[in-house]
Amino acid sequence: MLLPLAASLLFVIGLIAGKTAGHHGVGPLSITWGTNMCLGTMFTVFWFLDDSPVSQADFARAILLAMLYIAGISLTFLSVHVGDVSIATPLFGLKVLLVSVALSLIAGQPPSFIIWAAAALASLGVMTVQWQGRSKSQGNDSGNPSDIPEQSDIPEQSDIAEQSDKQRQNNVAFAARAARGRRSRTWKTVLLACGAASIYACFDVLLQNWAQSLAPARLLPMVFWIVMAMMLPLAPRVQWSLISKPEIRGSYLAAIVFMSGQSLCIAVALGWFGDAARVNVVLALRGLWGVIFAWAAVRLIKTYSRGDESQLTRRLWAQRLCGATMLTLAVVLALLGDA
């Protein structure tokens, strides 16, 4: 269980580094491309640990796993690019429920009552995490820190009192648009994160089953070499001039190394040791790490503190932590139901 525990920490640190790079303008495609290239290189070493023959069926399975992995990691980075780390990471914990249900169906057994209770608790956790409160800045609709008005631009109370009805109506309309923008980004984050969790659940279950027929030292390198091959045509779209800048290079490299490391830990744990349900239970701790680390990043990392999460109130931080805790408890219930 040490591998998924390490993966849960690496995952959150990688997302925060990727979000920091995103504040500099680095897009999800550039981070996804670098992560996949790094991961494929890492798995090359495993190919020499086994000499089992590879059949056409094994190659076809590797292609399907590669496609699922690319889709999952793309939605992961998109969810963080669109919204907040403290929203996205708890939602990835839903994967353990999906894995438990999938394994139950494969075994021909319907999910137990505890699994359904866990699903209900997880749904409540999702609602708690995504519920929007008031932020410190009510007028930033774009999510761009440069759009936050300077203190000198904020009118004094005497000036507000002298505003015309039309100006006041414009202010109210602007605040309403800002609120709708925040809600829209939140729901996009929820949908993208849940989509990533669903795809990764399929990846985990299939990898665990197929690694029994072909040595994981053969299957996993094939999967991530195919991932590399699929990503190569996108190399011209990578923001090379941007990620080469010294002030951006560090966060970009940290994002791809940490995200590659967490994928390596999970793939090795599933390929060699199996037990996808319990592996994902431990991995779901990243929901708690995500809220805690994002809160710390807002206060410690200058670039990160310019994002939307820096505008959250203490109450909203506490609410997200509460939702992440519910999701973690749901995961523990799923483990008990699968035992």
Side-chain angles (χ1 to χ4, degrees):
M1 292 294 111
L2 291 178
L3 285 173
L5 178 61
S8 68
L9 292 168
L10 294 174
F11 180 84
V12 175
I13 297 172
L15 284 188
I16 289 177
K19 185 72 172 180
T20 303
H23 289 159
H24 288 290
V26 180
L29 187 146
S30 296
I31 301 176
T32 302
W33 191 92
T35 300
N36 290 336
M37 292 299 159
C38 182
L39 188 58
T41 304
M42 288 179 176
F43 269 107
T44 300
V45 179
F46 291 89
W47 181 262
F48 302 100
L49 301 180
D50 197 284
D51 57 356
S52 302
V54 177
S55 66
Q56 291 185 348
D58 294 329
F59 185 71
R61 291 170 178 172
I63 292 177
L64 178 57
L65 287 173
M67 294 173 65
L68 288 173
Y69 179 81
I70 290 176
I73 196 169
S74 298
L75 291 181
T76 296
F77 284 124
L78 274 174
S79 68
V80 176
H81 182 75
V82 169
D84 297 339
V85 172
S86 57
I87 289 180
T89 48
L91 298 176
F92 294 132
L94 293 175
K95 184 175 73 164
V96 71
L97 297 176
L98 301 173
V99 167
S100 297
V101 171
L103 291 175
S104 297
L105 294 176
I106 290 175
Q109 299 175 351
S112 65
F113 172 78
I114 294 182
I115 292 294
W116 290 118
L121 182 58
S123 300
L124 181 60
V126 170
M127 289 188 289
T128 303
V129 166
Q130 64 82 32
W131 190 265
Q132 282 294 297
R134 292 177 62 86
S135 64
K136 295 176 185 177
S137 172
Q138 292 294 321
N140 183 17
D141 185 27
S142 65
N144 188 337
S146 63
D147 293 335
I148 300 175
E150 299 291 340
Q151 188 67 32
S152 60
D153 296 332
I154 301 176
E156 299 292 338
Q157 288 187 348
S158 59
D159 296 329
I160 296 177
E162 296 175 358
Q163 287 180 338
S164 65
D165 290 340
K166 183 177 180 180
Q167 288 174 317
R168 291 172 183 170
Q169 291 173 359
N170 289 338
N171 290 339
V172 171
F174 184 82
R177 287 195 301 270
R180 286 195 298 270
R182 284 190 297 274
R183 286 194 294 269
S184 175
R185 288 195 299 275
T186 297
W187 277 110
K188 287 178 182 177
T189 303
V190 169
L191 293 175
L192 290 169
C194 289
S198 302
I199 292 172
Y200 274 137
C202 295
F203 178 91
D204 289 358
V205 172
L206 292 176
L207 175 59
Q208 175 178 297
N209 290 337
W210 290 344
Q212 298 174 4
S213 59
L214 177 64
R218 288 290 185 175
L219 178 60
L220 289 173
M222 284 173 38
V223 169
F224 292 103
W225 287 344
I226 294 171
V227 169
M228 290 178 69
M230 290 180 173
M231 296 299 294
L232 276 176
L234 298 177
R237 301 186 62 182
V238 176
Q239 299 161 295
W240 297 108
S241 59
L242 190 60
I243 62 178
S244 62
K245 295 181 179 180
E247 65 272 20
I248 301 176
R249 188 187 306 127
S251 58
Y252 176 77
L253 291 177
I256 65 175
V257 169
F258 283 119
M259 289 300 292
S260 299
Q262 73 89 26
S263 296
L264 179 70
C265 290
I266 293 302
V268 169
L270 293 174
W272 269 270
F273 305 106
D275 204 353
R278 285 173 174 79
V279 165
N280 279 283
V281 165
V282 179
L283 183 62
L285 287 172
R286 61 190 177 183
L288 287 175
W289 306 145
V291 177
I292 295 170
F293 283 25
W295 177 83
V298 166
R299 284 149 182 79
L300 299 177
I301 303 176
K302 183 177 180 181
T303 304
Y304 196 89
S305 65
R306 299 173 186 169
D308 285 353
E309 283 176 311
S310 64
Q311 306 301 316
L312 300 181
T313 62
R314 290 182 180 179
R315 186 185 65 80
L316 196 50
W317 277 113
Q319 178 181 305
R320 291 186 179 182
L321 182 61
C322 181
T325 303
M326 289 181 186
L327 287 166
T328 304
L329 291 176
V331 165
V332 174
L333 279 178
L335 174 62
L336 295 175
D338 189 62

